[in-house]
Amino acid sequence: MQKISVWAPSNIALIKYWGKRDEDLILPHTSSLSMTLSGLGTETSVEAADQDQFVLDEVVYDIKTSEASRVFYIVDLIRDQFSLSENLRIETKNNFPTAAGLASSASGFAALVFALNEFFSLRLSFEGMSRIARQGSGSASRSFWGGFVKWERGEKEDGSDSVGRQLFAADHWPELHMILNVLSEKKKPVSSREGMRRSVETSKLYKSEWLPKNEDRVDLAEKAIQEKDFSALGRLVEENALLMHATMEDASPSFSYLAPESRKLIERVQKMRSEGIEGYVTMDAGPQVKVLCLQENIDVFMDMLSSESLIKKTFVSQPGVGPKVMR
Ligand code: PMV
């Protein structure tokens, strides 16, 4: 079998996934909705080898490390399901900082499953690949399509209906932009798995404000995207991100992924909005702050952001396309 290389995009949730109802199968308590990012993602190659090997960003990982084990857990799911026994060398590279809260696990697991599907000629549908990638990292279930994608919560205990689905293609709303600001490249202090568990098990806010209302928020965000109503979408996006972070502070023991620089930047964007320059923030399980804005305001935001000495790197994305085979 020939070496295969693929690319898969990253995605940022506009309405977040936070909390699992099944930790082994990675089944969420609520649905989520994301924008696929143009230009940011993971390139992964798969080839036959004498023994299993894992290389991430040009570093060879011992097969027993947690990074390699997470990858080979998914490889084994596929090898078992299709009765395959080949040893593999998996080489993967992100074009943005790994594990710093810029959704590298979403594009990483999507690229892995997409590459294995090509390498073994499995002919899985995108939905079928989404179902498998979800078990590596929940957000990966949304990285198989361009544009705007919903990860359906699903109802079944075996998770077969908990998959991604495209709502709108990338060309539906090209004026929408996401500016990703890297404030810190340190590894997160609490894994998202542990963080979710704490919010689910101990936060009152999670029970009263998150669980009963997120399905409606996903529907409202879908409608706002359909109507290209930027103000309605922006308000939902920012409220949802702040609520997710509030469930962490409300948890016991309380925790936060936000750094003092993150809070400064959030306030800066909110102040600009009060002055008529419309942008909204969203943050994931890390200190990075992403700004959602329209094309017409990109230059003003970039000027503001480049004057902020706290920012290490900035990436600008629009709704991007889905995964592709490189060779
Ligand atoms: O895919 P995971 O397990 O890294 O969880 C990611 C969760 C958030 O990024 C915080 C939200 C989301 O929906 O992507």
Side-chain angles (χ1 to χ4, degrees):
M1 266 171 285
Q2 287 241 316
K3 178 175 176 176
I4 284 283
S5 291
V6 307
W7 182 85
S10 188
N11 74 75
I12 296 290
L14 301 176
I15 303 296
K16 311 288 183 192
Y17 140 60
W18 192 248
K20 300 175 177 65
R21 67 175 199 279
D22 184 316
E23 292 208 358
D24 295 330
L25 291 173
I26 308 200
L27 300 178
H29 271 297
T30 58
S31 303
S32 53
L33 192 163
S34 60
M35 171 174 142
T36 302
L37 300 179
S38 65
L40 295 183
T42 302
E43 190 179 328
T44 293
S45 66
V46 174
E47 63 190 307
D50 294 338
Q51 52 188 354
D52 286 341
Q53 289 170 41
F54 178 58
V55 185
L56 168 63
D57 292 335
E58 293 177 350
V59 177
V60 181
Y61 280 72
D62 187 285
I63 208 71
K64 292 192 194 78
T65 55
S66 62
E67 288 86 352
S69 313
R70 276 184 80 188
V71 165
F72 277 91
Y73 173 74
I74 294 296
V75 174
D76 284 338
L77 279 185
I78 291 181
R79 283 195 290 220
D80 291 351
Q81 186 177 338
F82 295 93
S83 307
L84 301 160
S85 56
E86 280 85 350
N87 288 329
L88 301 174
R89 175 182 167 89
I90 313 264
E91 203 167 339
T92 191
K93 222 181 198 171
N94 297 315
N95 62 355
F96 54 90
T98 302
L102 282 188
S104 57
S105 63
S107 50
F109 281 100
L112 174 67
V113 175
F114 192 63
L116 292 167
N117 180 60
E118 285 297 320
F119 182 77
F120 289 121
S121 304
L122 303 177
R123 296 174 187 274
L124 289 164
S125 63
F126 283 115
E127 196 184 289
M129 288 189 264
S130 168
R131 192 176 291 123
I132 298 173
R134 185 201 76 219
Q135 296 171 66
S137 172
S139 51
S141 66
R142 301 184 305 239
S143 269
F144 289 92
W145 297 268
F148 300 89
V149 179
K150 178 177 179 183
W151 171 16
E152 299 278 0
R153 171 195 192 277
E155 297 297 329
K156 296 189 180 155
E157 266 180 36
D158 67 358
S160 55
D161 57 351
S162 189
V163 290
R165 141 174 105 79
Q166 188 182 50
L167 298 176
F168 306 99
D171 60 1
H172 169 70
W173 199 359
E175 297 80 14
L176 193 68
H177 283 62
M178 179 94 72
I179 310 173
L180 299 98
N181 301 291
V182 179
L183 299 162
S184 158
E185 300 189 34
K186 283 193 207 131
K187 259 188 114 148
K188 44 185 138 182
V190 179
S191 69
S192 55
R193 177 176 283 254
E194 169 60 21
M196 285 183 201
R197 192 182 291 151
R198 273 194 222 169
S199 286
V200 172
E201 289 176 0
T202 65
S203 164
K204 290 197 182 69
L205 205 53
Y206 187 85
K207 284 199 183 64
S208 65
E209 292 301 316
W210 188 272
L211 267 188
K213 300 184 187 167
N214 240 34
E215 229 55 48
D216 285 349
R217 293 188 184 106
V218 169
D219 292 345
L220 289 170
E222 178 177 354
K223 185 163 172 280
I225 296 168
Q226 181 175 21
E227 294 169 356
K228 300 187 200 169
D229 183 341
F230 180 63
S231 304
L233 180 66
R235 276 196 300 270
L236 283 160
V237 165
E238 187 168 303
E239 266 172 36
N240 183 252
L242 292 174
L243 178 59
M244 180 179 84
H245 287 271
T247 72
M248 304 172 191
E249 300 199 1
D250 184 46
S252 177
S254 173
F255 65 105
S256 177
Y257 293 111
L258 302 180
E261 299 90 306
S262 324
R263 295 180 201 273
K264 253 195 209 155
L265 195 51
I266 295 168
E267 278 170 23
R268 194 87 177 80
V269 173
Q270 289 172 336
K271 180 153 185 294
M272 284 178 78
R273 196 161 72 230
S274 71
E275 293 162 355
I277 302 159
E278 207 178 356
Y280 297 87
V281 295
T282 186
M283 297 77 62
D284 292 283
Q288 319 327 344
V289 175
K290 295 112 194 177
V291 180
L292 193 66
C293 68
L294 290 175
Q295 178 137 30
E296 64 204 39
N297 281 328
I298 272 285
D299 291 346
V300 199
F301 276 110
M302 291 305 281
D303 279 352
M304 179 276 275
L305 295 165
S306 63
S307 70
E308 293 287 335
S309 52
L310 15 129
I311 295 171
K312 295 217 162 67
K313 270 187 211 131
T314 296
F315 301 92
V316 181
S317 271
Q318 292 167 262
V321 294
K324 53 181 188 271
V325 178
M326 317 275 292
R327 56 184 180 267

